[in-house]
Each structure stands twice: as C-alpha cells, then as structure tokens.
Amino acid sequence: VSTQSHMVRPHLKHYQVVGREQPSEKNANPTAFKLEVYAPNFVVAKSRFWKLMNDKNKVKSTHGDTLSVKVIKDRKIAARNYSINLVYYSQLCGYTYMTKEFRDVSKAGAVSQAYNDLASRHRARYTNVEILSVKSIANEQCRRAFVTQFHKEGLSFPILQKKEKVARKDRAIFVKKGTKRAVVQ
C-alpha cells in the first residue's frame, strides 16, 4: 500500500454498540442503550462505549453486558459536507465545545479528518475527544472557506503529468543498482 492512498483512507470506522446493565434482583429488566462510536476496531469501540456508559449512565463494564457491536455502512458514496459537534479536554483550558465542517464521502472519513485536525491544531488526543453529533449539511449552510471552495460549478482536477503505462514485455523485473540496465534471465 502506498503512503498516499493510506493517508486518504479514514482510520476510524463507524460502530453502533448496544449494551445494558446486567440484570439483578434490584433491576430485573435493565434499559438497553445504543450509542454510535467512531473507533479503529471493535475492541476500541466497546471500550469507548463503556467509558461513555460510565460517564453518562453510571454503568461500568464489569456490571454490564455488550449486546451487539455493528459497523454502520454509509449510504451511497458521494462527496458531502459534514458538520461535527464535539467536545475535547485540554489541561490548558478545560473542556471546549466546537463545531467543525469537513467535506468527505463518508461520516467515518469526516470524523477521521476531525480527529486529525484536533490533534494538529489543538493537541487533543483521541481519548480526550468526544463526538457529540455528525450531520450532513447543504452547501448553503457551510461557512468555512476550505469547504466552500469545492462547491463551484464545473470544478475539475486535471491530471497534469499523465504517465504512459509501459508495455508488459518491456517491463524490467530486476534493475541492477547504480545502473538503469535491466537484468533479464
């Protein structure tokens, strides 16, 4: 995998995690909670779910059951504008709420961009960021210049240095170091 294609691919997936408190004598039929989490894999998604459950509903993972963990696939792939509401914690100024806009082909891609942006501009770590909501917005609702620059009609990305593909019979299998001569067997 080349580094260029690896940078474009989102490093997070969109998970839906369902869990509840374990049934007990006090609460025989506990409420099931469903949360959407963005994480690199399902282990981190479950961990993130239980961290949120502990913060919001006072239920620890040791006293809870994970009912299901599913990857949510986006609808048809198309470039959309996403508005992401989030809160992050920094030692300098405590909790900070903000709304960010990104253009991407999936929610997971937009959230990955948001995490990268927060890490670079605000030094916020993955564990200190909580995504509150992600919604698709229309072109007219976008305010950020780096998103609105892609809304122009007739926008094109020309390939300026198109390379001709070398014929299979002319390709070199081994190239000797320091020379341009191919070693053919």
Side-chain angles (χ1 to χ4, degrees):
V1 177
S2 69
T3 55
Q4 187 67 22
S5 65
H6 185 67
M7 287 172 59
V8 174
R9 190 179 317 127
H11 67 280
L12 299 174
K13 294 184 185 97
H14 188 183
Y15 288 95
Q16 180 188 69
V17 186
V18 181
R20 65 173 186 180
E21 190 178 0
Q22 286 177 344
S24 62
E25 291 177 10
K26 192 187 287 185
N27 189 2
N29 193 11
T31 306
F33 294 94
K34 177 173 74 173
L35 293 175
E36 291 187 4
V37 180
Y38 296 89
N41 56 47
F42 82 97
V43 175
V44 178
K46 285 201 302 190
S47 171
R48 198 75 175 176
F49 170 80
W50 286 112
K51 183 178 183 292
L52 290 168
M53 282 288 284
N54 192 11
D55 292 346
K56 307 264 190 278
N57 303 315
K58 303 293 184 258
V59 179
K60 290 186 176 180
S61 62
T62 54
H63 300 292
D65 296 327
T66 305
L67 302 176
S68 75
V69 180
K70 292 191 297 190
V71 175
I72 298 176
K73 296 288 183 193
D74 278 317
R75 50 194 183 168
K76 193 175 126 231
I77 291 181
R80 290 186 187 84
N81 309 308
Y82 289 99
S83 175
I84 300 174
N85 292 326
L86 54 92
V87 60
Y88 75 94
Y89 176 78
S90 71
Q91 289 184 332
L92 187 65
C93 56
Y95 287 98
T96 307
Y97 289 82
M98 62 174 60
T99 300
K100 290 196 157 287
E101 291 176 3
F102 296 98
R103 189 167 174 85
D104 207 293
V105 295
S106 68
K107 278 186 178 181
V111 172
S112 294
Q113 282 187 52
Y115 274 106
N116 289 338
D117 189 61
L118 286 164
S120 64
R121 292 185 192 194
H122 305 282
R123 294 186 188 174
R125 305 291 179 264
Y126 173 79
T127 53
N128 296 337
V129 178
E130 186 182 331
I131 303 294
L132 302 175
S133 71
V134 180
K135 59 184 176 193
S136 179
I137 58 174
N139 288 351
E140 299 78 38
Q141 294 176 305
C142 289
R143 292 181 291 180
R144 307 284 181 254
F146 65 89
V147 176
T148 57
Q149 68 182 344
F150 296 108
H151 296 166
K152 296 176 185 143
E153 285 293 321
L155 185 69
S156 65
F157 300 96
I159 300 172
L160 300 174
Q161 297 178 346
K162 188 163 174 119
K163 293 184 179 179
E164 290 293 322
K165 201 167 188 180
V166 181
R168 194 161 209 52
K169 63 177 182 168
D170 297 334
R171 288 186 198 160
I173 298 165
F174 301 104
V175 177
K176 195 171 180 182
K177 283 189 177 177
T179 66
K180 293 184 178 175
R181 196 177 69 183
V183 177
V184 182
Q185 295 175 339

